[in-house]
Every structure is written in structure tokens, then in C-alpha cells.
Amino acid sequence: RLYEDKYLEDVKDLLVELEEYILSIDKDELDQLHPEYREQMAILDLEEVSKNNGKCYLYIDDDKVLGLIMGIERQYEEEDYLDYKCPKQGIITELIVTSKTRSKGIGKKLIKRMEDYFKSKMKLFDLCKTCFVNADDLQTSKIPKLLPEKNIQTYGIDNYCNLLAKDITVTNSAVDFKVKIGTRNERIKIDIPGRFSVYNALAAINR
């Protein structure tokens, strides 16, 4: 199930257990268990999940947390887009199963729960007559093939799609680009700089 604050102490215990295990196999003795680790690490991890469109799932038995998984969406810097396609990526930041219940498949169940989360988003497309997806997104770009019977329109910058932005110019105060709308070639300017503004504009045009 999704993380709830009432399980915070259990989460802290699991993180400490993991760190103690890491210390036990650290031959170079570079790791340490800081006095504030138990109180601060769980809070920092959960804040990272919240800030980066992530999730924290718990495996609970008899109201006791036996395992957890945390995952976030990778965030890029603006300069990364200058030489990289920057697909969306999910990163597992924590995966822990208490030593008392290992070898029972709990870790696999937690990983599958993360996968099921993405698959559940697919159900939203059943409610739409026409769907719009980002062709540059590593995950959503799979949707047209997964739902061939649906009317799905794609947009993007780097990959083949129905609505493709070209000749993008980014300044400190704006971004502009060319796009073909129907039979017309248009130049679009957005007074919010950044490639994300191009994606937002393309999604709006598609609608």
C-alpha cells in the first residue's frame, strides 16, 4: 500500500537496518551510521519522493512494515537538453526487505507494484475518444503500440510524431519553434523559456 505517516517509525527502522547491512560489507570503511541518520534519512527520502513525482509503497503484514520501495522521476537540468534527448526515467531510490522475512518474494512484489502503477495509468485511455501522448517520453511513447485500436495523437521534439516541433530557439525570456498545423507551417512563441514550454504548447495545440 501507499506510504502513510503512521508507518514512519517502521520506515526509519528499515532504513537503519539497510545501512547497518551496508556497513557490515563495507571493506573500505567509508560508510558511517550518523547519530542523526534514523531521524533524518526517512524524512529526506520521503521529501525527495514528494518533490520528484515519486511513490513510496510499503509491504505490510499484521500492521507491521516488512519492506518498502521508493521511486522517483529523474529530473534534468536545462543544459542537459542541449546534447541529450532526456527521456523520462524512473529511479528506485530505496528497496528494503527486513532480514526477518527475506526469501519470501516480498522484494519482487514491491517491484511489481511499481510496474502496476504505470499500467494503471493505461486505464485512463479507455475513457477518451482521442488521446494525446508525448512521443519523447520513454514510457508514454509505448502507448500507441499497446492500444492500437485507440485514436492516439503524438507530439514531441526528438522522435517521429503527429505534431513535431522544429527549429527551437531558447532565450532567457522565451522559447519559439516551428510546427506544422494541418497544412500550415506556423511559428509559435511562448514567453516562458525552456523545452518544457514547447511540450506544454504542443499538447495544447493537439487538443
Side-chain angles (χ1 to χ4, degrees):
R1 70 175 72 172
L2 276 172
Y3 168 79
E4 298 177 46
D5 286 340
K6 67 178 181 178
Y7 294 114
L8 178 58
E9 295 304 312
D10 285 353
V11 169
K12 290 179 180 179
D13 290 340
L14 279 175
L15 289 173
V16 168
E17 183 178 340
L18 175 63
E19 187 62 21
E20 288 175 342
Y21 171 73
I22 292 173
L23 285 170
S24 72
I25 61 173
D26 178 22
K27 295 180 181 180
D28 296 324
E29 299 183 351
L30 296 175
D31 281 285
Q32 66 171 344
L33 187 59
H34 191 277
E36 296 297 320
Y37 183 91
R38 185 182 186 280
E39 294 306 314
Q40 293 190 16
M41 195 63 201
I43 302 299
L44 293 173
D45 274 349
L46 290 167
E47 286 179 351
E48 184 181 30
V49 167
S50 178
K51 291 177 181 178
N52 294 282
N53 301 318
K55 293 288 183 183
C56 175
Y57 291 110
L58 309 176
Y59 186 92
I60 298 172
D61 185 42
D62 195 23
D63 208 37
K64 180 70 175 178
V65 179
L66 304 181
L68 68 83
I69 187 169
M70 295 186 191
I72 64 171
E73 182 180 303
R74 178 181 175 182
Q75 302 297 312
Y76 296 96
E77 300 295 333
E78 188 64 34
E79 56 267 25
D80 293 331
Y81 290 97
L82 297 176
D83 59 359
Y84 186 53
K85 290 184 178 180
C86 297
K88 282 191 177 181
Q89 295 180 346
I91 302 172
I92 293 177
T93 56
E94 302 284 6
L95 176 58
I96 313 158
V97 177
T98 180
S99 59
K100 300 174 184 177
T101 56
R102 285 179 190 159
S103 302
K104 294 185 178 180
I106 293 176
K108 291 181 179 179
K109 290 178 181 178
L110 287 167
I111 292 173
K112 186 177 184 301
R113 182 66 187 87
M114 278 289 188
E115 293 175 346
D116 289 344
Y117 169 68
F118 171 70
K119 291 177 182 178
S120 68
K121 292 184 177 181
M122 298 293 293
K123 296 179 181 178
L124 296 175
F125 287 84
D126 291 333
L127 304 176
C128 304
K129 292 182 179 180
T130 302
C131 309
F132 307 100
V133 299
N134 186 342
D136 295 339
D137 186 292
L138 185 63
Q139 298 295 339
T140 60
S141 61
K142 302 175 184 177
I143 292 173
K145 291 183 178 179
L146 294 173
L147 299 173
E149 73 284 357
K150 300 294 291 186
N151 179 20
I152 297 177
Q153 300 296 309
T154 56
Y155 61 90
I157 297 173
D158 301 309
N159 296 296
Y160 175 80
C161 55
N162 301 112
L163 198 63
L164 179 67
K166 298 180 179 180
D167 299 330
I168 300 171
T169 301
V170 180
T171 67
N172 291 331
S173 59
V175 59
D176 64 89
F177 58 94
K178 290 181 180 179
V179 62
K180 187 174 183 179
I181 304 174
T183 59
R184 308 187 319 274
N185 289 309
E186 302 284 355
R187 187 95 195 167
I188 307 295
K189 181 180 179 181
I190 308 295
D191 290 329
I192 303 175
R195 278 171 60 110
F196 69 92
S197 291
V198 178
Y199 286 116
N200 291 341
L202 290 172
I205 292 170
N206 241 329
R207 293 185 178 90

